[in-house]
Amino acid sequence: MIYVIVGEDVANSLEKRQQARGAHVARLQKLQDNGQLILAGPFPNVDATDPGLAGFSGSLIVAEFASLEAAQVWANSDPYLLTGVYAKVSIKPFKKVFPA
């Protein structure tokens, strides 16, 4: 099943993000290598692909997991959550309709 994981950043998270980014991206790479990752990326705080010092407000991860519990276990061990980048993480099952 596909799950949507949304991480919401704490205020002024850019420095923490930069410090934990390598470990965070490595975990996403494993999902991609396993064929589970559909898409992932951050939400810029401003209308730009590179927000510079404005930073980010959170992240979106769309991936396949065996169950909601498996998605929760994966999300709960994300370096962004463990290092205080994320203030909150929500996970929801997702039914893909488009693109077909």
Side-chain angles (χ1 to χ4, degrees):
M1 174 106 194
I2 298 172
Y3 296 89
V4 173
I5 301 170
V6 177
E8 297 177 33
D9 283 21
V10 298
N12 303 311
S13 64
L14 186 59
E15 185 176 334
K16 288 181 181 180
R17 266 185 172 267
Q18 291 169 334
Q19 292 171 354
R21 187 174 189 279
H24 172 77
V25 170
R27 293 180 79 239
L28 292 170
Q29 185 64 54
K30 286 181 184 178
L31 285 180
Q32 182 170 307
D33 293 347
N34 291 337
Q36 294 173 260
L37 186 63
I38 295 168
L39 68 96
F43 301 117
N45 274 325
V46 294
D47 190 13
T49 53
D50 181 358
L53 295 177
F56 301 91
S57 64
S59 301
L60 171 71
I61 299 165
V62 181
E64 292 186 44
F65 291 93
S67 65
L68 178 58
E69 181 181 351
Q72 290 171 327
V73 167
W74 187 90
N76 288 342
S77 60
D78 191 298
Y80 279 0
L81 182 63
L82 299 176
T83 61
V85 173
Y86 291 156
K88 177 183 173 186
V89 174
S90 59
I91 304 161
K92 294 182 179 185
F94 181 77
K95 180 181 175 186
K96 181 182 171 197
V97 176
F98 289 101

